[in-house]
Amino acid sequence: MKNSFASRKDFQKTYIPISWLPSIPAIIPHRIRRKLRSKIRSRQSPATSLASLEFSLSPADTLRSLRAHRWSFHDGQYLILIVLGIFSLSIIASPGPIFKTAVATLLLLSLILPITRQFFLPFLPIITWLVWFYACGFIPSDWRPPIWVRVLPALENILYGANISNILSAHQNTFLDIMAWLPYGIIHFGAPVVFSIIMFIFASPGTVPVFARSYGYMNLVGVSIQLLFPCSPPWYENMYGLAPANYTIKGSPAGLARIDNLFGIALYTTTFTGSPMVFGAFPSLHAGSAVIEALFMSHVFPRLRPLFVVYALWLWWATMYLSHHYAVDLVGGSLLAGVVFYVAKAKFLPRTQPNKMFRWDYDYKEVGEDPVEQGYALADFGNGPHDADDWTIGSSSSISSGSISPVDDSNSIWEGETLASHSDNEAKR
């Protein structure tokens, strides 16, 4: 006989939808929600692994990360780097095959060991750029396009009405020589390392790998443009006029020769005479490097933006005073740097959070443009996680703002999210 008493399953809670109540996201502004998340997560995970470094020496950890890695079309960047690297090594005549094999083996070993992978994987585009730049000196002349001698001077006169480089270099003295030499011949080569160290300490975890990739790819594209569109620099016009150029012509230190004479050395004369890219005036990668450094540092230290702008303008002046670039070259290099930076900022660059001074203060990470700054405000809330890619060296974003929480420590990473930390993309095993 059927039980006359109602079972517990017969009694269900009834939910009455109340549509007139505003949702919590509609009441609390985005920035306040972000601060609340930061405080809550910092209590949950006071010793966050977001900013930690990897000290493992086991290749098995790398293999586990590779098996857990979620591959996407962004990983195609490594195929491009491999093809370009193999091509570059194959055409380099000196040093010989034994040395090249040893270098390639050491690089492969650095990518296998987790303790070195976290540094060398983001650095891979820069390594490829340096090898590609050196290999350009071994490309046969009959493979190369003709050299454009009149294009840049003509553009200079059309756009600015005069040759700005010749105007700035017309009045020379020792003080101006030193003031131009410092940014062009000294600071330019050390700035990427110094800025990387500063960003590693003070910026959000993941900023340095994005900077390294951006810097490397910007220079890779720039060198490729110089190879396909070779143009003579101002020193060529000063020495040979507008006579046709060929690839047998050696490079010139131009204004830096005065620095060699001042200090009794031949550093810049030897370096520029043997340059593998003599006719690489456009775009100016000195200008591009200064601009992309200024943009990244301004992102980390917004209040110091005028200082970084002055640095970029200082280097701009130096390149023209030393007769190494036309003004149009600087514009081309700066535009290239700006495009690379703003793509990285929109898609991959971690945001700087208020009241966070050091990388170790970050308990979660937000990637990409701020929705408030982009005008999305609350429209992005509740749309689910956004898949990050290997450029951000990052992970799936959180619901509201693309944030990465370290509360779940069960994640690892192939790229190295900061220079070491774990990603939401891959499960640590």
Side-chain angles (χ1 to χ4, degrees), residues 72-367:
S72 70
F73 74 93
H74 291 280
D75 295 299
Q77 63 180 302
Y78 299 112
L79 179 61
I80 296 174
L81 295 179
I82 291 172
V83 171
L84 189 57
I86 293 175
F87 174 76
S88 300
L89 291 175
S90 65
I91 64 173
I92 292 176
S94 176
I98 297 178
F99 181 83
K100 291 187 289 186
T101 303
V103 171
T105 302
L106 290 175
L107 178 59
L108 183 61
L109 181 62
S110 71
L111 297 176
I112 292 176
L113 301 179
I115 191 172
T116 53
R117 183 192 70 212
Q118 60 190 334
F119 300 102
F120 279 90
L121 195 61
F123 191 63
L124 200 56
I126 296 179
I127 297 175
T128 308
W129 154 55
L130 294 174
V131 174
W132 175 229
F133 175 75
Y134 179 70
C136 288
F138 298 93
I139 298 178
S141 300
D142 53 352
W143 291 11
R144 297 187 177 194
I147 301 167
W148 298 87
V149 175
R150 300 175 181 269
V151 171
L152 296 183
L155 287 175
E156 191 89 348
N157 284 280
I158 292 173
L159 295 176
Y160 310 112
N163 189 322
I164 300 178
S165 177
N166 287 344
I167 294 174
L168 293 178
S169 61
H171 304 284
Q172 302 169 0
N173 57 59
T174 303
F175 175 76
L176 292 179
D177 290 345
I178 293 176
M179 290 300 296
W181 162 64
L182 287 175
Y184 193 87
I186 299 294
I187 299 177
H188 166 75
F189 298 99
V193 177
V194 174
F195 289 154
S196 295
I197 294 173
I198 293 174
M199 285 188 283
F200 179 77
I201 297 173
F202 295 101
S204 171
T207 301
V208 175
V210 176
F211 170 70
R213 282 178 165 84
S214 301
Y215 190 86
Y217 283 120
M218 180 204 70
N219 281 281
L220 266 177
V221 173
V223 169
S224 300
I225 294 174
Q226 292 172 352
L227 184 65
L228 297 174
F229 183 58
C231 296
S232 59
W235 61 258
Y236 180 88
E237 183 181 1
N238 296 337
M239 295 177 64
Y240 305 103
L242 298 178
N246 59 72
Y247 290 104
T248 62
I249 297 175
K250 298 293 184 180
S252 170
L256 288 175
R258 298 192 294 272
I259 298 297
D260 281 349
N261 295 331
L262 179 65
F263 293 105
I265 59 177
L267 175 63
Y268 295 104
T269 300
T270 303
T271 302
F272 283 91
T273 301
S275 173
M277 187 67 72
V278 175
F279 298 100
F282 183 89
S284 169
L285 295 181
H286 272 75
S289 297
V291 169
I292 202 168
E293 291 160 2
L295 289 171
F296 270 93
M297 291 298 287
S298 298
H299 172 77
V300 178
F301 305 103
R303 295 183 179 180
L304 298 180
R305 182 176 288 110
L307 177 63
F308 303 124
V309 171
V310 169
Y311 164 67
L313 293 177
W314 184 20
L315 195 139
W316 275 35
W317 166 79
T319 60
M320 292 185 287
Y321 174 80
L322 295 172
S323 299
H324 279 270
H325 288 286
Y326 295 100
V328 68
D329 304 334
L330 310 181
V331 174
S334 301
L335 288 176
L336 176 60
V339 169
V340 172
F341 170 77
Y342 284 107
V343 169
K345 182 181 179 183
K347 298 292 184 179
F348 318 112
L349 185 61
R351 292 181 229 150
T352 300
Q353 299 174 14
N355 304 322
K356 302 290 178 66
M357 177 174 290
F358 302 103
R359 63 180 280 113
W360 299 276
D361 296 333
Y362 285 79
D363 46 1
Y364 72 99
K365 188 174 73 173
E366 297 177 300
V367 174

